[in-house]
Amino acid sequence: MSAFTGTGRLTRLALRRDRIRLGIWILGTPLLGYALAASVAGVYPDEAARHGYATTSASSLVARAFNGPIAGTDLGAVVVAETYATLAVLVALLSTFAVVRHTRQNEETGRAELLGASVVGRYALLTAALLVVVGVNLLAAALLAVVFAGAGLPLAGSLAAAAAIGGVGVAFTGVAAVTAQLTVTSRGANALAAAAVGLSFLLRAAGDVFGEQSADGTRVESAWPSWLTPLGWGNQVRAYTGERWWTLALPVALLIATVALAYALARRRDLGAGLLAARRGPGRAATWLLSPAGLAWRLQRGTLLGWAIGVGVLGISMGVAADEFNAMITENPAAAEAIAAMGGGTELVDAYLAAMLGLYALAIGAYVVQALLRVRADEADGVLEAVLATAVSRGRWLGTQVAAALLGATALLLLGGITTGIGYGLVDGDPVGKALALGGAAALRLPALLVVAGVVTALFGLLPRWSVALSWAALMVFLLLGQLGAVLELPQGALDLSPYTHVPAAPAVDPTALPLLLLAAVAAALLAAGAAAFRHRDTPR
């Protein structure tokens, strides 16, 4: 029997298991790319606007760090500068999570052992996961190229830009294949893969910050650290500005090297074991772990800490950039109009700060979804049955999980507002006052997160089998409507479907209580519906 026997059947099984997730990935990535490209084209419609954007971005260290290097004044170059980082990080994370789900998670849950009892080779499970994820990346990249070309961008540059983003996903597919061999849990493998994505982002940012600006001030040539990371390789393709096609060989080479390493590691370990020794816990558990609240805190504290670090760093950076942003945006009336639409006010700095707080709230919505979907994982894995066999009721258990997720979201919102205020205050001369003001403005976004929590809870109670896919799909819809709907001039009826639309855009506008109360009422109704459905259905389901 070959080590790859059964790969085809396992590939079909993986496609069958994740047909909804993969469909959202394949279609959602190009749709997000189209929305971002269309908004950029509307904000920078002519050569003068794009020239102002290019010179300001090239001279801004913050813009280089977060968006990457600008490669010129063509519309395609501006689209890449505004969309690449978002799409590349997204596909990197999606790729790592998918690989771990079909490798390490199968071992952790015992599915791999059951499959291994049949005619299945040692490498079949890993190979099937790699084929699925690489194939999805290639298909999503092909659709993204079509979308970019359909938005009026040159075909060659569209192919290069889409291939650069797909190459990031392919590269991190191999990285996740290695991390899946190292730890004994899927959480550990995902954490290592996410750390690799974070390190890649930091190296890319360092290379772009220390890069050289061209004589005309419209381009940046990255320094050597950008060449050490897959996220940096995508920028070096230079889509729409004299494409460097040969750089697309770098992610392929990394995939080949990491897959070979993953096979070698898989050959040297037992099924279900990891090459990194599992850390032993204390001999006696803390008494607070006896309560559902203590257990929820224990399970979520690591994730919350990682989110807190990311939100804090982003808040400080965006706050410091506020004054720099004001200088850039006043030179571009179209961009000023778009920021005013996103931020909800006419004072540009306040509109910018409001838009940033809105982005934080959207990102923290992902934390809420991630934290609450743990309840579905616990149910599917059989953990919930063991918990409910004790004196813990269904209502108490679910209420504790929802409360823990919302408390974490509240802390992250306040952290984002306060750190943004500190960053802006350091430039403006009033860090304490700005921190308090923006912390309060950030807290006004909490009712929108309550609705997100209500949607996830209702889906868990009413449609548990579909709750994971539908929860993430709902958040994606909120993202597109809440942040890009105004820029794309969508009908107000469509914008109203997002809870983020109804949140007062403080500090750009004065807050009113009625929308917040209505959002809280909707959230309460959704939470109640989910809790009632959960109490009256079978577990697991």
Side-chain angles (χ1 to χ4, degrees):
M1 182 179 69
S2 167
F4 298 96
T5 299
T7 298
R9 291 180 179 272
L10 290 176
T11 301
R12 290 194 292 273
L13 176 62
L15 291 172
R16 176 69 176 78
R17 272 184 71 196
D18 277 4
R19 61 191 184 280
I20 303 298
R21 285 186 176 90
L22 298 180
I24 293 174
W25 179 355
I26 291 170
L27 297 177
T29 302
L31 287 175
L32 179 60
Y34 179 80
L36 293 171
S39 66
V40 170
V43 172
Y44 305 101
D46 52 44
E47 179 67 23
R50 294 194 294 271
H51 187 276
Y53 171 86
T55 54
T56 304
S57 297
S59 60
S60 169
L61 298 183
V62 175
R64 290 196 210 177
F66 284 95
N67 290 344
I70 184 70
T73 59
D74 292 341
L75 177 60
V78 177
V79 168
V80 169
E82 285 291 296
T83 62
Y84 171 78
T86 299
L87 294 175
V89 172
L90 177 64
V91 300
L93 293 175
L94 289 174
S95 299
T96 58
F97 293 158
V99 171
V100 171
R101 171 175 165 79
H102 290 288
T103 53
R104 174 53 62 182
Q105 188 184 83
N106 280 340
E107 295 187 42
E108 187 179 11
T109 58
R111 286 191 290 263
E113 188 174 9
L114 181 63
L115 291 169
S118 61
V119 185
V120 173
R122 174 180 285 273
Y123 301 146
L125 198 65
L126 175 59
T127 305
L130 293 172
L131 289 174
V132 168
V133 178
V134 170
V136 169
N137 272 299
L138 295 178
L139 183 55
L143 292 177
L144 185 61
V146 172
V147 161
F148 279 160
L153 299 176
L155 178 60
S158 299
L159 291 172
I165 293 169
V168 172
V170 167
F172 280 102
T173 298
V175 171
V178 173
T179 64
Q181 314 305 315
L182 300 179
T183 69
V184 296
T185 65
S186 57
R187 286 184 62 196
N190 280 326
L192 287 176
V197 175
L199 178 61
S200 178
F201 186 90
L202 290 176
L203 285 173
R204 196 277 310 155
D208 295 334
V209 166
F210 293 111
E212 294 185 3
Q213 188 174 356
S214 64
D216 62 358
T218 61
R219 296 184 302 277
V220 173
E221 191 66 36
S222 302
W224 62 267
S226 289
W227 291 94
L228 302 178
T229 163
L231 289 175
W233 298 338
N235 279 324
Q236 305 314 314
V237 173
R238 296 294 187 184
Y240 303 107
T241 53
E243 291 79 11
R244 299 171 177 171
W245 296 102
W246 63 269
T247 57
L248 295 174
L250 296 175
V252 176
L254 180 61
L255 174 68
I256 294 172
T258 50
V259 168
L261 177 59
Y263 284 148
L265 296 177
R267 188 169 60 248
R268 287 169 171 78
R269 67 176 180 87
D270 293 332
L271 184 68
L275 294 175
L276 298 178
R279 188 180 63 179
R280 292 188 176 184
R284 295 176 61 87
T287 55
W288 50 267
L289 283 175
L290 295 174
S291 67
L295 180 60
W297 164 247
R298 175 65 180 83
L299 294 176
Q300 294 188 19
R301 65 183 184 183
T303 302
L304 182 59
L305 177 61
W307 274 89
I309 293 173
V311 168
V313 172
L314 185 63
I316 291 289
S317 302
M318 293 298 99
V320 170
D323 188 62
E324 187 177 273
F325 169 85
N326 187 44
M328 176 188 75
I329 210 70
T330 52
E331 300 176 1
N332 189 337
E337 182 180 351
I339 290 296
M342 292 175 61
T346 56
E347 293 292 333
L348 289 182
V349 173
D350 286 343
Y352 164 81
L353 294 172
M356 291 302 102
L357 295 181
L359 288 174
Y360 300 161
L362 276 168
I364 295 167
Y367 167 80
V368 173
V369 174
Q370 179 186 20
L372 284 180
L373 286 180
R374 183 183 292 276
V375 301
R376 176 57 186 164
D378 286 348
E379 181 181 24
D381 295 341
V383 175
L384 177 57
E385 285 186 287
V387 174
L388 296 181
T390 65
V392 177
S393 67
R394 291 190 180 203
R396 182 186 177 195
W397 177 79
L398 182 59
T400 299
Q401 300 295 323
V402 173
L406 290 177
L407 287 174
T410 303
L412 291 175
L413 268 179
L414 292 175
L415 178 64
I418 291 171
T419 53
T420 302
I422 291 174
Y424 182 42
L426 291 175
V427 177
D428 191 61
D430 183 20
V432 175
K434 297 298 183 184
L436 293 175
L438 291 181
L444 295 174
R445 272 75 178 174
L446 181 59
L449 296 180
L450 291 175
V451 174
V452 173
V455 169
V456 178
T457 304
L459 290 172
F460 169 69
L462 297 167
L463 300 169
R465 291 185 59 189
W466 299 88
S467 59
V468 175
L470 292 178
S471 296
W472 288 112
L475 184 66
M476 183 62 69
V477 171
F478 294 161
L479 166 66
L480 294 176
L481 294 178
Q483 289 306 119
L484 299 177
V487 177
L488 297 176
E489 299 181 352
L490 295 179
Q492 188 61 42
L495 300 180
D496 289 340
L497 295 175
S498 171
Y500 295 96
T501 303
H502 305 282
V503 174
V509 299
D510 294 330
T512 55
L514 181 59
L516 302 179
L517 294 175
L518 292 176
L519 287 175
V522 171
L526 291 170
L527 290 169
F534 176 60
R535 285 197 302 268
H536 292 92
R537 67 171 175 81
D538 292 336
T539 302
R541 179 179 176 183

